[in-house]
Amino acid sequence: MSFSIISLLNKTQLARLESHQEKITYQAGTILFNQGKEANHMYIIKKGKVTLYRLMPNGEEKVFNVFLAGDVIAEMAMFMSPRQYPMTARIEQESVLAVYKHTDIKQLVSQTPELAVNVMAYMTNKIHRLVNDVNILTQVNANQRFVMKLAEIYKKQSIKEEKINLSITKKLLATQLGMTPETLSRTIKRLKNEGHLIENGNVLKIKDIPTLCQSVNLAADIFYS
């Protein structure tokens, strides 16, 4: 499971929360929740795939994230005021989700001061990371953003080979990087033509990390810090 507020619970607290959970199977195409609706539930994906998106003023769907098995959905919405889902979630394939009620989460956190402090720290750090992401998007160029994203994925991989496994589509990756799919394609093509990357399906092989970073004027430390 990815790091989340669930990771902050001790065994007793986790058992207490799980005693109230409900496992539900959802069919592909189901809308799990809509943007702006009251956030009454948090979800953990046991199996399947869920897309989080917003409808833009022109009617276009803007995909912000794709959640897979082990991911937690709507954890921050549980503590928002007003407590509303900031985006819409759609089931992309038959999925099994563990569903937790807001009332159970709130009761558990409010009755345990130490847990409440830990949740506050976790949420603060998460917001700080999001602010940093926004700063990065506005202060570096497309090539640098892409290589920084490769470094982020690399550091999360359990096996530190000079290969990057892309678990999301390039269209979604482009959205996360604040660029068009065409710009992302040009960026990848440029790095391939210069001999820094080899592309094989969803896998990008980096020939040499320091050389790749040097080509976009970044320090190789971003892959290791």
Side-chain angles (χ1 to χ4, degrees):
M1 181 186 298
S2 58
F3 190 72
S4 67
I5 63 173
I6 300 296
S7 308
L8 304 176
L9 306 180
N10 60 35
K11 291 182 179 179
T12 301
Q13 293 164 342
L14 182 59
R16 179 180 167 188
L17 184 62
E18 289 186 339
S19 69
H20 296 288
Q21 79 169 9
E22 183 178 7
K23 286 186 180 179
I24 301 177
T25 299
Y26 295 89
Q27 299 304 311
T30 302
I31 298 298
L32 188 61
F33 52 77
N34 283 290
Q35 177 184 341
K37 295 297 183 182
E38 187 175 25
N40 292 321
H41 298 92
M42 183 181 78
Y43 307 84
I44 296 179
I45 302 180
K46 297 299 182 180
K47 181 183 73 172
K49 181 179 179 182
V50 179
T51 294
L52 202 65
Y53 68 93
R54 273 187 174 180
L55 280 178
M56 307 309 289
N58 62 2
E60 178 187 357
E61 282 188 9
K62 185 79 167 181
V63 176
F64 282 82
N65 210 344
V66 174
F67 294 93
L68 303 172
D71 289 335
V72 180
I73 304 173
E75 61 175 354
M76 294 189 74
M78 296 295 95
F79 303 93
M80 292 173 64
S81 180
R83 198 179 70 254
Q84 297 175 341
Y85 294 115
M87 300 183 192
T88 298
R90 181 177 60 226
I91 306 295
E92 296 298 337
Q93 61 189 45
E94 183 177 276
S95 302
V96 178
L97 308 183
V99 183
Y100 300 88
K101 293 180 181 179
H102 161 260
T103 49
D104 293 328
I105 297 171
K106 181 180 179 180
Q107 183 180 49
L108 181 63
V109 173
S110 63
Q111 291 181 351
T112 314
E114 182 180 357
L115 177 59
V117 171
N118 290 339
V119 169
M120 289 174 61
Y122 168 74
M123 291 298 179
T124 300
N125 290 335
K126 188 165 186 177
I127 293 171
H128 180 67
R129 289 195 300 272
L130 292 173
V131 171
N132 282 341
D133 289 344
V134 172
N135 286 336
I136 288 171
L137 290 177
T138 58
Q139 294 177 14
V140 299
N141 62 44
N143 295 327
Q144 291 171 326
R145 271 180 268 164
F146 175 64
V147 172
M148 292 172 76
K149 186 64 175 181
L150 294 184
E152 177 188 324
I153 298 172
Y154 174 84
K155 288 188 289 187
K156 291 179 180 178
Q157 292 179 167
S158 56
I159 300 177
K160 294 297 185 291
E161 296 178 338
E162 292 190 346
K163 294 180 181 179
I164 306 296
N165 294 287
L166 299 178
S167 61
I168 58 177
T169 65
K170 289 181 181 176
K171 182 178 180 180
L172 176 56
L173 180 59
T175 297
Q176 293 179 346
L177 293 173
M179 62 178 74
T180 65
E182 293 76 19
T183 300
L184 177 60
S185 294
R186 287 195 296 270
T187 298
I188 295 175
K189 183 178 180 180
R190 177 212 155 192
L191 294 174
K192 287 166 57 179
N193 289 342
E194 292 179 354
H196 302 303
L197 293 178
I198 298 175
E199 186 174 18
N200 184 12
N202 291 328
V203 177
L204 293 174
K205 182 178 180 181
I206 303 173
K207 286 192 173 182
D208 183 71
I209 287 177
T211 303
L212 170 66
C213 292
Q214 185 179 12
S215 73
V216 295
N217 198 27
L218 290 173
D221 291 351
I222 61 172
F223 278 81
Y224 309 108
S225 59

